[in-house]
Amino acid sequence: MDLQIRKASLADLDRLMEIFEEARRFMCRTGNPNQWINGYPQRELIQKEIEDAHCYVCVTKEGKTVATFCFIQGPDPTYAHIEEGEWKDDSPYYVIHRLASDGSCHGIGKLCIDWCFSQWPCLRVDTHADNRVMQNLVQSMGFVYCGIIYVSNGTPRLAYQKLA
């Protein structure tokens, strides 16, 4: 796969919102209709992620943006409390949030996670209990289930960690 990963710019914002819309449709088709509801992630959130330099895009050699994710240095406040388990390690970590693709390229999730792991040796991620696609992806890439965390709106998420 000949894709480039780069930081997103405000010029990418409209395309990113299209990708998130397609990702919401994909999640509904694959049995996960409740994770990204009520327009989440909102344009304002993604704009802030871009301005804070946390948002990345995957771009084809032709220049088409096909995926996005946020790669944020911890600590993440929603990860401070974990139930029914524990984190495998307390060393500094990065979090992968809002991984989304337009569906046009196979293997995007693996590409993005590999890139993140090449940047930092300790990663954390969380996902909705209905998001079997993401659960299968992270488990296939060496993430270990650690327990349940609660995101800012109070809903539970399955939490995973990967160490070098």
Side-chain angles (χ1 to χ4, degrees), residues 27-82:
M27 287 194 287
C28 285
R29 287 192 309 270
T30 57
N32 182 21
N34 300 309
Q35 184 171 352
W36 285 358
I37 58 172
N38 301 321
Y40 181 89
Q42 289 79 12
R43 185 180 185 88
E44 297 76 21
L45 172 62
I46 301 307
Q47 180 175 332
K48 181 170 180 3
E49 295 286 17
I50 292 170
E51 291 168 348
D52 291 346
H54 298 152
C55 188
Y56 291 80
V57 293
C58 299
V59 183
T60 66
K61 63 184 175 191
E62 296 79 27
K64 181 181 180 188
T65 300
V66 296
T68 183
F69 62 94
C70 291
F71 186 57
I72 305 170
Q73 186 172 12
D76 184 314
T78 63
Y79 289 4
H81 176 74
I82 188 167

Side-chain angles (χ1 to χ4, degrees), residues 71-155:
F71 186 57
I72 305 170
Q73 186 172 12
D76 184 314
T78 63
Y79 289 4
H81 176 74
I82 188 167
E83 294 181 354
E84 299 178 27
E86 62 185 9
W87 296 111
K88 301 301 174 198
D89 184 279
D90 285 329
S91 62
Y93 62 90
Y94 272 74
V95 180
I96 303 168
H97 282 305
R98 292 174 287 285
L99 175 58
S101 165
D102 69 1
S104 65
C105 296
H106 184 70
I108 288 281
K110 182 180 182 324
L111 175 86
C112 294
I113 291 171
D114 281 344
W115 182 89
C116 291
F117 201 60
S118 76
Q119 306 299 305
W120 196 259
C122 181
L123 301 178
R124 293 182 182 179
V125 66
D126 65 85
T127 193
H128 194 281
D130 293 340
N131 194 340
R132 301 278 186 221
V133 173
M134 188 65 171
Q135 292 168 45
N136 291 338
L137 173 64
V138 298
Q139 289 171 354
S140 75
M141 297 193 67
F143 282 78
V144 175
Y145 174 74
C146 295
I148 298 171
I149 61 101
Y150 293 85
V151 294
S152 59
N153 71 5
T155 59

